[in-house]
């Protein structure tokens, strides 16, 4: 049986990946993703198979799963993050780091995030021109880096530089992305050295103090790499918050439900991650051995990914999957917006907290919030569902 193909340069795929991947999902649990200049990738399109592959040790994340930016040689040791580690090496680091990113610890992030969101919203009306303000530029984009600066103890005089780095990192690629990395790594080195001298009540101090039962602890290179990884992976809320606002403003019934019952927000955030999470494909994995997937021979070394755009709207996993519903009850299976298995995103809990606080405060502060354009401009990015701007009236 021939498999459906998704061409990442196809304008229909770029404009509406959910329909394109959804069509492939209903044809087959497996598709081929065609990437210019690269070998095609196998893509899981249904929830059950995707969840199984994400937890299957026969599929590994390697250095080949990432496109390395062009950076100075002294930065290279810090680019190999926990994301591309497997086996005992990954397990050791995850065991040391995971408690600092737990759902329980994320609750403590609230005291960090709430004042940051309040400051950004206080300043928002001052950025308006002719009554219109870009919510992406002035709230969603700066929020994650402001949070990172608090978590790693960046002094106020250094923060303008970190904000510039954040603006470049959130683009996700290109020369600006690569140009930001050396500065971030140097800032991370400074942050680690500072917190070794001056411990505080923040995430970086927690990571410096942590030891396991055998006395193992994180080395300086590992700590610097974690800070860099925090900056990189921590940008997810920027796109998620912007996508969420756009979707809520396009669904007045859902918006009214949230305004009437703010306690729905945690459930709404899960639905928003399922419905409009920024990641359309998971980090590619490589087959460690020959594997049969749904009757198709996947060869050792082949690249395998998961189409999150397809699996998170799979009617086999979610009732009425194509309906956006902020009152949706948690089911037996959850969305895969933060992946699954050994590489489940460590930043999931903090990302949820940031999104929940930002949306709650925004809806509370600006009851008349509305889109200022018929359709917000979106980046032609086949891997990330992200806006270029979000013009709104307050």
């Amino acid at each position: 049986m021939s498999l459906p193909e998704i061409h990442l340069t196809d304008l229909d795929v770029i404009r509406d990946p959910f329909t394109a991947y959804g069509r492939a999902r209903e044809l087959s649990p497996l598709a081929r993703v065609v990437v210019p200049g690269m070998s095609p990738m196998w893509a899981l399109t249904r929830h059950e198979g995707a969840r199984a592959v994400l937890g299957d040790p026969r599929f590994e994340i390697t250095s080949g799963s990432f496109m390395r930016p062009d950076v100075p040689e002294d930065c290279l040791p810090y680019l190999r993050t926990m994301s591309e580690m497997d086996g005992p090496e990954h397990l050791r680091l995850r065991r040391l780091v995971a408690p600092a990113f737990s759902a329980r610890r994320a609750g403590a992030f609230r005291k960090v995030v709430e004042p940051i969101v309040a400051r950004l919203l206080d300043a928002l009306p001052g950025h308006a021109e002719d009554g219109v303000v870009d919510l992406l530029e002035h709230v969603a984009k700066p929020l994650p880096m402001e949070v990172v600066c608090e978590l790693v103890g960046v002094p106020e005089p250094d923060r303008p530089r970190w904000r510039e780095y954040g603006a470049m990192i959130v683009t996700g690629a290109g020369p600006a992305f690569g140009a930001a990395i050396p500065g971030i790594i140097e800032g991370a080195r400074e942050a680690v050295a500072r917190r070794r001298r001056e411990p505080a009540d923040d995430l970086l101090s927690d990571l410096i103090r942590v030891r396991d039962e055998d006395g193992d602890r994180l080395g300086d290179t590992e700590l610097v790499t974690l800070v860099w990884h925090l900056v990189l992976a921590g940008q997810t809320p920027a796109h998620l918050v912007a996508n969420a606002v756009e979707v809520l403003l396009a669904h007045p019934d859902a918006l009214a439900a949230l305004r009437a019952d703010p306690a729905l927000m945690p459930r709404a955030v899960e639905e928003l991650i399922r419905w409009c999470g920024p990641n359309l494909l998971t980090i590619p994995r490589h087959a460690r051995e020959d594997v049969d997937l749904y009757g198709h021979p996947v060869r050792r070394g082949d690249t395998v990914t998961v189409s999150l755009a397809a699996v998170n709207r799979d009617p086999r996993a979610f009732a009425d999957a194509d309906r956006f519903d902020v009152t949706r009850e948690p089911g037996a299976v959850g969305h895969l917006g933060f992946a699954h298995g050994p590489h489940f995103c460590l930043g999931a809990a903090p990302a949820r907290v940031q999104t929940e606080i930002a949306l709650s405060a925004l809806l509370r502060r600006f009851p008349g919030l509305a889109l200022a354009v018929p359709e917000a401009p979106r980046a032609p990015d086949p891997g990330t569902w992200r806006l270029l701007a979000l013009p709104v009236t307050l």
Side-chain angles (χ1 to χ4, degrees):
M1 183 182 70
S2 62
L3 291 178
E5 285 192 349
I6 299 289
H7 292 258
L8 294 191
T9 54
D10 187 331
L11 288 179
D12 288 338
V13 174
I14 292 171
R15 290 191 190 109
D16 186 2
F18 304 100
T19 296
Y21 283 108
R23 191 180 297 121
R25 178 193 63 229
E26 296 313 306
L27 290 172
S28 169
L30 193 65
R32 293 288 267 170
V33 173
V34 180
V35 188
M38 298 173 59
S39 299
M41 295 188 292
W42 303 94
L44 281 301
T45 62
R46 295 179 186 171
H47 192 283
E48 183 180 20
R51 195 172 187 273
V53 163
L54 291 174
D56 190 329
R58 294 177 298 174
F59 301 94
E60 63 178 342
I61 297 178
T62 69
S63 59
S65 301
F66 302 89
M67 296 181 68
R68 287 279 188 246
D70 186 16
V71 297
E73 191 172 342
D74 67 314
C75 293
L76 294 177
Y78 306 106
L79 295 192
R80 186 170 181 269
T81 69
M82 190 164 45
S83 291
E84 62 187 82
M85 296 176 186
D86 264 312
E89 186 181 25
H90 177 267
L91 184 62
R92 170 189 165 265
L93 269 181
R94 186 136 189 145
R95 187 176 61 240
L96 287 169
V97 170
F101 293 92
S102 67
R104 182 184 60 79
R105 187 70 175 85
F109 289 167
R110 288 184 175 274
K111 67 180 182 182
V112 172
V113 177
E114 286 172 345
I116 292 172
V117 169
R119 288 198 302 272
L120 292 172
L121 297 188
D122 286 345
L124 196 56
H127 296 297
E129 295 182 10
D130 298 324
V132 177
V133 63
D134 184 353
L135 205 65
L136 176 66
E137 184 68 24
H138 299 295
V139 176
K141 272 187 180 180
L143 174 60
M145 188 56 89
E146 294 292 329
V147 171
V148 168
C149 285
E150 286 290 332
L151 295 180
V152 303
V154 176
E156 193 59 48
D158 293 344
R159 292 194 180 188
R161 179 164 53 103
W162 282 69
R163 290 171 187 133
E164 290 178 14
Y165 297 149
M168 291 187 277
I169 289 294
V170 81
T171 63
F177 178 85
I181 292 173
I184 293 171
I185 289 174
E186 180 55 35
R189 289 193 193 107
E190 294 169 0
V192 169
R194 185 184 310 111
R195 279 296 171 255
R196 285 208 184 277
R197 294 191 309 267
E198 306 164 7
D201 182 20
D202 59 23
L203 176 69
L204 186 51
S205 296
D206 286 351
L207 292 171
I208 289 171
R209 283 190 293 260
V210 72
R211 290 177 184 267
D212 69 8
E213 61 271 19
D214 298 319
D216 187 18
R217 65 189 307 174
L218 298 165
D220 278 4
T221 298
E222 291 170 331
L223 285 163
V224 171
T225 302
L226 277 167
V227 173
W228 150 241
H229 195 193
L230 190 64
V231 171
L232 181 63
Q235 302 309 310
T236 293
H239 302 310
L240 178 57
V241 168
N243 288 348
V245 172
E246 183 197 36
V247 167
L248 288 172
L249 293 180
H251 291 80
D253 290 349
L255 189 61
L258 282 175
R259 291 195 190 282
D261 184 6
L264 281 174
M265 186 57 78
R267 195 183 300 179
V269 167
E270 295 307 305
E271 178 71 346
L272 286 159
I273 297 166
R274 182 188 79 86
W275 181 263
C276 62
N279 296 319
L280 297 172
L281 298 165
T282 62
I283 297 170
R285 277 124 172 106
H286 295 96
R288 292 178 184 264
E289 59 189 67
D290 292 351
V291 180
D292 179 89
L293 282 181
Y294 297 103
H296 294 272
V298 176
R299 303 302 181 194
R300 182 173 181 265
D302 280 1
T303 306
V304 180
T305 186
V306 166
S307 167
L308 296 174
V311 303
N312 281 341
R313 298 194 189 185
D314 184 357
R316 298 157 193 79
F318 305 100
D320 206 0
D322 281 329
R323 182 168 63 91
F324 175 66
D325 180 8
V326 296
T327 66
R328 186 180 296 273
E329 295 277 357
V333 296
H335 64 76
L336 298 178
F338 293 113
H340 174 71
H343 287 279
F344 178 79
C345 178
L346 271 177
R352 287 175 165 119
V353 168
Q354 286 185 63
T355 305
E356 181 184 332
I357 291 172
L359 294 178
S360 297
L362 193 63
L363 299 187
R364 186 172 59 249
R365 183 80 70 92
F366 301 109
L369 188 69
L371 283 172
V373 292
E375 187 174 350
R378 194 164 282 282
D381 184 342
T384 308
W385 187 241
R386 61 186 177 94
L387 291 166
L388 291 172
L390 183 55
V392 298
T393 55
L394 303 178

